[in-house]
Each structure stands twice: as structure tokens, then as C-alpha cells.
């Protein structure tokens, strides 16, 4: 048999290593965020490479990717450590932020502005209001354990929103207060999520770099009787929050032969 010859490093080889690094980064990110590597120092590169079945060069690229995300820090003489915890936000239940993250610390709310306004037509249509009908507009900076986590812009129908002027908004979720005011539970919400870059103002409010990736959620919440009452635009710091949920695939009612 001929001796094996070394494979030259080509553009295709580098691309393949980059592809592999991206695949491994997805797995390692999951272990850091939800698994057994959430705190402290990560194993050495060689140990990680063995665990994930890849080369040390590829693992080095993996760690560089996670460092660029702000998830880990690489310090000479110390190794690779977790830079900061990411908090899980569940999507399979309609909960307020404090309800969702109660196991991870205290959520506090800074009310930046609140008042009665004439909403843009697009907002009025989403809330099922007549043209020119005012709404309560509320803007809050929300922190977890003192760290800025989200900037929430909220439009509330007037009869539901006005009682909140006298409510303790700094220490309560809007959802809890809405149920108290209306005397009925919330029912459902229509939700859209996308990635956006932080503009200069939002970055300053959230203490994030300008252009940083944010998770943007638009959510229209209805009471149990179906009435829409709360339209929110929420910008989360992407380096501090991860979304998760449970999805079920319903069997098809009709079978095509």
C-alpha cells in the first residue's frame, strides 16, 4: 500500500473547517447556556476537541466564535471562562418577564415615560380601536439583578391602561396588573420575533455596543374573551437572553393518497 500523503490546506479545507467550527459552536453554546458548563472555566481545548470529535485548530475557531458573541472570554494563563450567564425565556406560556425569570433573580422596571397619546394608525388597527381613539403609552427599561435586559414599548387600550397610572409598575409585570384591572385572565398572544441591530439610542439605554444584536419581539395580547388590549415591542439584549419553547406537531386531519 502506498503511504498516505498529507492533504494540502486549501480554500476548500479552510471552508470545511469553518463549517465544522460553526456546527460545534452550536453544540457547545447549548452546553454553556443550558448544560453543565454554565459557570466557571471550560475544559482545555484538547479535552473539548476530544469530546466533540474535532481537531484542536477547529476547536480554537469554535472558541473564537463564542468569544465574538460575548459568551466566553479567553485569557492567557487562565484559559477559557464563561463571560456571563444567558437567561432562558420560555415561549410556550404567556408569562411576564418577572414570572419567566423568577428563578434567576429579581426583575426591576424603570418607567421611562407613561402617558395618554393618540396612537399611530397601525397601532389603533392592531388594538381594534376607532380612528383617533387614545391609548396609554408606556416605556420601561427592565433589569435582571441590576443588569439591563430589555427595553419595552407598550400600547394599552385606554380603559385598561389608565388604572395603571396608580399601580406599582416598578415591581410588577404588566400581565399581572392587567388581570387585576380587568378581573379576567389573559387568553392568548400573537408573537413575532426577529433579530435587529441596536441603534445608538437603544444601545445607550441597554448599555450595549451600538449595532449589537438584539432579539426583537412584537406581541399583541388578548384577554380571555378575545379582546386585544396590549401591543408591545420588546428589545432584548441578545447576549443575555435565549428563547426556548416546546413545539408539538399535530397529526394531519386529512391524509392524501
Amino acid at each position: 500500500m502506498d503511504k498516505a500523503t498529507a492533504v494540502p490546506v486549501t480554500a476548500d479545507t479552510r471552508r470545511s473547517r469553518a463549517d465544522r467550527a460553526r456546527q460545534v459552536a452550536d453544540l457547545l453554546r447549548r452546553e454553556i447556556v443550558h448544560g453543565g458548563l454554565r459557570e466557571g472555566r471550560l475544559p482545555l481545548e484538547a479535552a473539548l476537541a476530544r469530546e466533540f470529535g474535532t481537531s484542536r485548530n477547529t476547536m480554537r475557531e469554535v472558541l473564537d466564535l463564542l468569544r465574538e458573541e460575548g459568551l466566553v472570554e479567553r485569557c492567557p494563563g487562565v484559559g477559557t471562562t464563561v463571560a456571563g450567564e444567558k437567561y432562558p425565556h420560555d415561549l410556550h406560556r404567556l408569562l411576564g418577564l418577572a414570572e419567566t425569570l423568577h428563578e434567576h433573580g429579581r426583575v426591576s422596571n424603570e418607567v421611562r415615560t407613561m402617558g395618554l397619546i393618540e396612537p399611530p394608525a397601525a397601532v389603533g388597527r392592531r388594538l381594534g380601536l376607532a380612528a383617533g381613539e387614545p391609548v396609554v403609552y408606556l416605556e420601561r427599561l427592565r433589569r435582571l439583578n441590576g443588569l439591563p435586559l430589555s427595553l419595552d414599548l407598550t400600547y394599552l387600550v385606554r380603559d385598561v391602561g389608565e388604572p395603571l397610572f396608580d399601580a406599582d409598575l416598578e415591581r410588577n409585570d404588566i400581565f399581572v396588573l392587567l388581570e387585576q384591572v380587568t378581573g379576567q385572565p389573559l387568553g392568548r398572544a400573537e408573537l413575532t420575533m426577529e433579530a435587529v441591530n441596536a441603534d445608538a439610542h437603544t444601545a445607550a439605554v441597554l448599555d450595549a455596543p451600538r449595532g449589537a444584536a438584539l432579539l426583537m419581539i412584537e406581541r399583541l395580547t388578548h384577554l380571555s374573551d378575545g379582546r386585544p388590549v396590549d401591543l408591545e415591542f420588546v428589545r432584548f439584549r441578545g447576549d443575555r437572553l435565549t428563547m426556548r419553547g416546546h413545539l408539538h406537531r399535530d397529526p394531519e386531519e386529512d391524509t392524501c393518497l
Side-chain angles (χ1 to χ4, degrees):
M1 295 181 61
D2 296 334
K3 292 183 178 180
T5 57
V7 177
V9 177
T10 65
D12 286 342
T13 304
R14 288 193 295 271
R15 184 182 63 188
S16 297
R17 190 166 69 197
D19 288 341
R20 177 60 178 159
R22 189 164 51 247
Q23 295 166 359
V24 175
D26 290 342
L27 299 173
L28 184 55
R29 185 188 301 107
R30 174 75 169 66
E31 288 300 305
I32 293 173
V33 175
H34 302 296
L37 301 176
R38 297 178 63 178
E39 298 180 0
R41 186 163 52 186
L42 270 63
L44 297 177
E45 282 181 7
L48 288 171
R50 285 194 301 270
E51 179 179 349
F52 289 95
T54 191
S55 68
R56 290 191 62 177
N57 285 338
T58 298
M59 184 54 64
R60 194 168 293 118
E61 291 191 27
V62 169
L63 297 175
D64 284 341
L65 288 174
L66 299 181
R67 178 182 55 79
E68 291 172 2
E69 294 178 14
L71 191 57
V72 301
E73 294 177 345
R74 306 191 68 190
C75 304
V78 176
T80 304
T81 59
V82 177
E85 185 174 1
K86 271 192 159 186
Y87 303 99
H89 189 296
D90 292 334
L91 294 178
H92 54 276
R93 292 188 62 197
L94 185 55
L95 297 173
L97 190 65
E99 293 175 307
T100 300
L101 300 179
H102 70 277
E103 296 179 355
H104 301 278
R106 178 177 176 269
V107 172
S108 59
N109 310 306
E110 176 189 331
V111 177
R112 296 175 51 81
T113 185
M114 185 177 185
L116 199 63
I117 67 167
E118 182 177 334
V123 171
R125 286 194 298 269
R126 297 293 304 281
L127 290 171
L129 304 176
E133 187 173 346
V135 299
V136 172
Y137 175 73
L138 172 63
E139 183 175 312
R140 295 169 297 160
L141 171 61
R142 314 195 70 184
R143 296 184 174 91
L144 178 63
N145 301 325
L147 296 174
L149 188 62
S150 72
L151 179 63
D152 297 16
L153 282 57
T154 306
Y155 301 87
L156 300 159
V157 296
R158 184 174 185 175
D159 63 300
V160 170
E162 281 191 325
L164 301 187
F165 281 106
D166 298 321
D168 185 359
L169 293 169
E170 294 186 1
R171 291 183 293 183
N172 287 288
D173 282 333
I174 288 290
F175 284 175
V176 173
L177 296 173
L178 290 182
E179 292 183 325
Q180 293 174 357
V181 167
T182 63
Q184 65 173 295
L186 299 177
R188 62 182 175 86
E190 302 158 17
L191 183 145
T192 301
M193 182 170 60
E194 58 184 310
V196 299
N197 293 327
D199 59 88
H201 172 68
T202 302
V205 172
L206 290 175
D207 193 23
R210 182 173 180 175
L214 305 177
L215 294 173
M216 169 77 169
I217 285 183
E218 176 187 332
R219 180 171 57 199
L220 178 62
T221 302
H222 303 250
L223 296 175
S224 58
D225 62 8
R227 181 190 178 199
V229 293
D230 177 347
L231 177 61
E232 293 179 282
F233 297 86
V234 184
R235 292 167 173 82
F236 289 104
R237 282 192 54 161
D239 60 340
R240 291 185 176 158
L241 201 89
T242 181
M243 299 291 180
R244 69 182 185 185
H246 301 287
L247 302 178
H248 299 274
R249 181 170 179 171
D250 294 329
E252 295 182 358
E253 295 181 0
D254 298 323
T255 302
C256 298
L257 299 179

